Amino acid sequence: HLQRGDVSIGCEISVSTGAEHETQNLAKCLSAGFGYTLPMSTEARTAAPVDLAGLDLEELTRFVQALGEPAFRARQLYAWIHRRGETAFAAMTDLGRALRARLATRATIGARPVARETRSVDGTCRFRLRLADDRGIESVLIPEAGRVTACLSTQAGCVLRCRFCLTAQVPNARNLTAGEIVGQVLALRRALEPEARLTHLVLMGMGEPLANFPQTAKALGMLTAPEGLAFSPRRITLSTAGLVPGIRRLAESGLGVNLAVSLNATTDAL
């Protein structure tokens, strides 16, 4: 079982005499910067599948190298996932068949499945998306003249518990991972008409983005990466209820996205 930061993968390791191939494979894993734990028996152990939608390009590069693949495969995978919106490894035809088969058993691409869709007369469409732990989050497509905006959630529920907010009534709120935030974009892109494309993003859905700053910042970095969707930061707006330390962190991050502050009362007590 190999682990580095947020990346966990399975690796076949044999301790039998003369297992030259497995030894070379382990050496590649170690050279990629992963720590390791030998299994209790000679039987291989496989980690839970890795959600590739939550890996930035650097992490994805380490992942493919640990599988014994060259680094350029990471850019191919990243483009398939983020630029083309592909979620089936079998369709990634510029990857070798053996690699596609290994990815199908060791990884997933977390475009969140749609549990419910509600469409308004003005074309706005609200999606109830299901997470891996069966929690639900909501994302919205907002079509306007010359633009299509995706409204994204950053938490399942909201930790701020504002009394006037319906999201505050969701029990056991938790932060979303970067993969779950990016996965909303992947899901909404699939729901667009063939000729339509997302032009703007707003982080104004469920949750307080700045209360989940590390994962929100990582997701924004991935959404603006030139190797992927390459959204301009000027076309992304983050909305906050006014967490001042988070606002400072955002200003110092260099992400360059727009900031909207939602003021709903005259005092903190309210």
Side-chain angles (χ1 to χ4, degrees):
H1 180 209
L2 310 177
Q3 182 75 38
R4 180 182 175 92
D6 295 331
V7 183
S8 178
I9 68 168
C11 182
E12 296 179 1
I13 300 175
S14 171
V15 294
S16 59
T17 304
E20 181 179 353
H21 174 74
E22 286 79 6
T23 302
Q24 292 174 349
N25 189 32
L26 177 57
K28 290 178 182 178
C29 294
L30 295 176
S31 66
F34 289 86
Y36 74 97
T37 301
L38 285 174
M40 296 302 293
S41 69
T42 57
E43 182 179 356
R45 299 194 306 183
T46 304
V50 178
D51 180 7
L52 301 188
L55 303 186
D56 60 28
L57 185 56
E58 181 180 346
E59 292 169 331
L60 191 56
T61 299
R62 294 199 299 265
F63 176 79
V64 299
Q65 287 180 322
L67 293 179
E69 296 290 332
F72 74 86
R73 293 296 189 197
R75 291 184 177 274
Q76 290 176 306
L77 264 172
Y78 202 86
W80 275 110
I81 296 169
H82 298 283
R83 189 173 295 169
R84 304 185 190 183
E86 184 56 65
T87 58
F89 294 117
M92 301 179 182
T93 52
D94 58 355
L95 302 181
R97 183 176 300 177
L99 175 57
R100 283 180 277 161
R102 294 178 74 192
L103 288 172
T105 61
R106 302 192 182 196
T108 61
I109 299 173
R112 308 283 22 124
V114 176
R116 186 174 67 247
E117 179 179 336
T118 306
R119 192 172 296 273
S120 175
V121 293
D122 65 358
T124 299
C125 195
R126 183 175 64 185
F127 297 87
R128 180 78 171 179
L129 305 179
R130 188 173 66 252
L131 302 178
D133 60 1
D134 287 331
R135 293 173 183 260
I137 56 173
E138 293 191 345
S139 308
V140 183
L141 276 179
I142 309 169
E144 299 174 282
R147 61 191 288 172
V148 179
T149 301
C151 179
L152 310 177
S153 295
T154 53
Q155 294 178 318
C158 184
V159 297
L160 294 189
R161 300 294 183 189
C162 300
R163 287 176 292 177
F164 59 85
C165 180
L166 187 62
T167 301
Q169 300 177 22
V170 177
N172 302 317
R174 73 162 175 86
N175 290 330
L176 298 185
T177 66
E180 289 169 333
I181 297 171
V182 174
Q184 295 171 67
V185 178
L186 300 181
L188 295 186
R189 287 178 68 199
R190 294 192 302 185
L192 289 172
E193 298 294 332
E195 69 280 0
R197 68 180 186 89
L198 289 179
T199 60
H200 293 73
L201 303 176
V202 293
L203 279 64
M204 299 181 180
M206 298 173 68
E208 166 55 56
L210 297 183
N212 184 21
F213 186 84
Q215 295 300 311
T216 296
K218 180 180 178 182
L220 290 174
M222 295 169 63
L223 291 167
T224 56
E227 299 85 0
L229 286 171
F231 275 99
S232 168
R234 297 181 180 180
R235 296 193 172 197
I236 301 176
T237 299
L238 182 152
S239 177
T240 176
L243 295 186
V244 175
I247 293 174
R248 292 196 180 102
R249 290 183 72 182
L250 181 65
E252 295 167 355
S253 70
L255 288 167
V257 299
N258 301 307
L259 178 68
V261 180
S262 177
L263 300 178
N264 297 287
T266 55
T267 68
D268 288 344
L270 295 176

